[in-house]
Amino acid sequence: MQIHSLSESTSHRAELEATEQIFFESSSKKTFSGEEERLRFLQRYFGVYAEQDPDWFLIARGATNQVLGYLAGAPETRNEHFILNPYLEEFRQVMGHYPAHLHINFSPEARGLGLGSLLLVEFERRLKSHSIPGVHLVTGATERNVGFYNKNGYLEASRIRVGSTELVLLGKRL
Ligand SMILES: CC(C)(COP(=O)(O)OP(=O)(O)OC[C@H]1O[C@@H](n2cnc3c(N)ncnc32)[C@H](O)[C@@H]1OP(=O)(O)O)[C@@H](O)C(=O)NCCC(=O)NCCS
């Protein structure tokens, strides 16, 4: 597997299209009230990272150069992330220990092969080289991916309820 950032990419547009497809494929939300809602959803979890943090938007390619997965990250959690996701306010205090955050998705046929762990390690390596002290992510408390993060050293630091969903913040010190 090869890994590079969007800012290092030589086929920026094609890679964005391929990763956008993986984003929608991986999302549990499948229906939208219209195009406006679909684009808002895309911007919130994907577009804001591609536009504002292309150095931290990592793309994983396979042996035949196909895009297998991506990690959309930010080296620090900034106001625009809180504006896009108001529920994050409840996590603000604990985030001080884990300023960076990420979203990661692989295409269905590339899951369960250890590739997501490799991409995570590369993201952490890049964060450490910039002296970023910690990283977090937020996911549903009952999601299968919690096991993936736990085995990679991301542990529950805080938990909130949003509507009927329990959300956990999983953090790792670097
Ligand atoms: C989560 C994900 C990035 C992990 O990458 P990966 O390369 O599959 O992970 P690894 O092979 O290193 O580790 C396997 C673990 O990943 C997780 N995983 C594997 N397939 C998964 C799937 N379809 N959905 C959710 N998590 C999955 C499980 O925790 C698995 O461990 P388990 O088999 O003991 O349950 C990837 O599986 C994926 O994209 N899943 C669907 C979308 C998702 O949940 N993204 C994270 C949003 S917060």
Side-chain angles (χ1 to χ4, degrees):
M1 185 172 80
Q2 288 179 33
I3 300 172
H4 61 261
S5 71
L6 198 55
S7 51
E8 292 156 356
S9 170
T10 50
S11 48
H12 197 274
R13 181 187 272 264
E15 288 200 326
L16 263 189
E17 279 172 13
T19 47
E20 188 179 314
Q21 202 177 325
I22 293 171
F23 166 69
F24 280 115
E25 230 170 5
S26 303
S27 167
S28 52
K29 184 167 171 60
K30 296 291 178 201
T31 54
F32 299 93
S33 59
E35 186 58 7
E36 202 182 312
E37 195 203 359
R38 194 186 76 90
L39 290 176
R40 251 203 327 269
F41 185 71
L42 178 67
Q43 184 63 12
R44 184 173 172 187
Y45 295 111
F46 184 97
V48 69
Y49 301 94
E51 286 164 17
Q52 299 194 20
D53 290 293
D55 291 350
W56 301 95
F57 193 111
L58 303 183
I59 294 159
R61 281 183 177 272
T64 56
N65 228 18
Q66 77 281 27
V67 175
L68 301 173
Y70 73 90
L71 185 158
E76 57 179 334
T77 305
R78 303 184 301 264
N79 270 344
E80 62 259 44
H81 304 120
F82 287 100
I83 291 166
L84 286 166
N85 304 285
Y87 62 84
L88 289 179
E89 280 300 339
E90 290 189 58
F91 286 130
R92 195 187 270 270
Q93 201 139 19
V94 77
M95 273 182 205
H97 303 295
Y98 317 100
H101 74 267
L102 67 99
H103 302 276
I104 183 171
N105 287 307
F106 271 72
S107 64
E109 61 278 9
R111 292 176 194 161
L113 303 172
L115 303 178
S117 300
L118 290 177
L119 188 56
L120 212 46
V121 165
E122 173 60 15
F123 181 59
E124 292 167 8
R125 189 190 67 75
R126 292 181 185 219
L127 289 173
K128 279 188 244 176
S129 76
H130 283 73
S131 304
I132 310 281
V135 52
H136 76 269
L137 62 105
V138 174
T139 188
T142 58
E143 293 289 332
R144 182 175 164 194
N145 57 48
V146 171
F148 164 73
Y149 295 118
N150 287 164
K151 81 167 177 176
N152 281 291
Y154 290 72
L155 302 178
E156 182 171 334
S158 182
R159 178 181 284 240
I160 61 168
R161 176 171 282 277
V162 177
S164 58
T165 312
E166 289 263 303
L167 294 180
V168 284
L169 183 143
L170 307 177
K172 180 173 182 176
R173 304 252 192 175
L174 297 174

